[in-house]
Amino acid sequence: MATFITGAIVAVGLYYALRHVYRNFRMGREDCCGGNCSACSGHCMGGHAALPKKGA
Protein backbone atom coordinates (compact mmCIF):
# COMPACT_ATOMS: atom_id res chain seq x y z
CA MET A 1 0.00 0.00 0.00
CA ALA A 2 2.84 2.39 0.80
CA THR A 3 4.28 1.76 -2.66
CA PHE A 4 1.07 2.98 -4.30
CA ILE A 5 0.94 6.09 -2.12
CA THR A 6 4.59 6.89 -2.84
CA GLY A 7 4.04 6.28 -6.56
CA ALA A 8 1.03 8.58 -6.56
CA ILE A 9 3.00 11.35 -4.85
CA VAL A 10 5.85 10.96 -7.34
CA ALA A 11 3.40 10.97 -10.26
CA VAL A 12 1.73 14.18 -9.05
CA GLY A 13 5.11 15.86 -8.52
CA LEU A 14 6.27 14.81 -11.98
CA TYR A 15 3.04 16.13 -13.51
CA TYR A 16 3.51 19.57 -11.94
CA ALA A 17 7.20 19.69 -12.90
CA LEU A 18 6.49 18.82 -16.53
CA ARG A 19 3.59 21.28 -16.63
CA HIS A 20 5.94 24.01 -15.37
CA VAL A 21 8.56 23.20 -18.01
CA TYR A 22 5.95 23.09 -20.79
CA ARG A 23 4.41 26.43 -19.78
CA ASN A 24 7.85 28.06 -19.61
CA PHE A 25 8.67 26.68 -23.07
CA ARG A 26 5.36 27.84 -24.52
CA MET A 27 5.71 31.37 -23.07
CA GLY A 28 9.41 31.66 -23.97
CA ARG A 29 10.55 31.98 -20.36
CA GLU A 30 13.19 30.07 -18.44
CA ASP A 31 14.17 29.52 -14.83
CA CYS A 32 17.49 31.31 -14.87
CA CYS A 33 17.84 32.69 -11.35
CA GLY A 34 20.44 30.08 -10.40
CA GLY A 35 22.65 30.58 -13.43
CA ASN A 36 24.22 33.27 -15.54
CA CYS A 37 21.28 34.53 -17.58
CA SER A 38 20.69 38.02 -18.91
CA ALA A 39 16.96 37.35 -19.44
CA CYS A 40 16.24 37.75 -15.72
CA SER A 41 17.29 41.40 -15.77
CA GLY A 42 18.05 41.34 -12.06
CA HIS A 43 14.53 40.63 -10.79
CA CYS A 44 15.28 37.21 -9.31
CA MET A 45 16.25 38.45 -5.86
CA GLY A 46 15.24 35.50 -3.69
CA GLY A 47 12.33 34.04 -5.63
CA HIS A 48 10.37 33.96 -8.80
CA ALA A 49 9.26 37.20 -10.36
CA ALA A 50 5.53 37.79 -10.15
CA LEU A 51 4.11 37.76 -13.65
CA PRO A 52 0.52 38.57 -14.48
CA LYS A 53 -1.58 35.53 -15.39
CA LYS A 54 -3.77 35.39 -18.44
CA GLY A 55 -7.48 35.27 -17.77
CA ALA A 56 -9.21 32.04 -18.62
Side-chain angles (χ1 to χ4, degrees):
M1 183 68 178
T3 303
F4 294 117
I5 294 171
T6 303
I9 291 171
V10 169
V12 169
L14 185 60
Y15 166 76
Y16 282 111
L18 290 175
R19 184 179 75 160
H20 174 79
V21 170
Y22 174 72
R23 287 182 177 181
N24 279 352
F25 176 74
R26 193 177 74 206
M27 296 178 75
R29 297 185 317 194
E30 59 181 289
D31 294 330
C32 60
C33 295
N36 186 11
C37 173
S38 62
C40 283
S41 302
H43 54 266
C44 289
M45 306 300 242
H48 294 289
L51 297 174
K53 293 185 177 183
K54 292 183 179 180

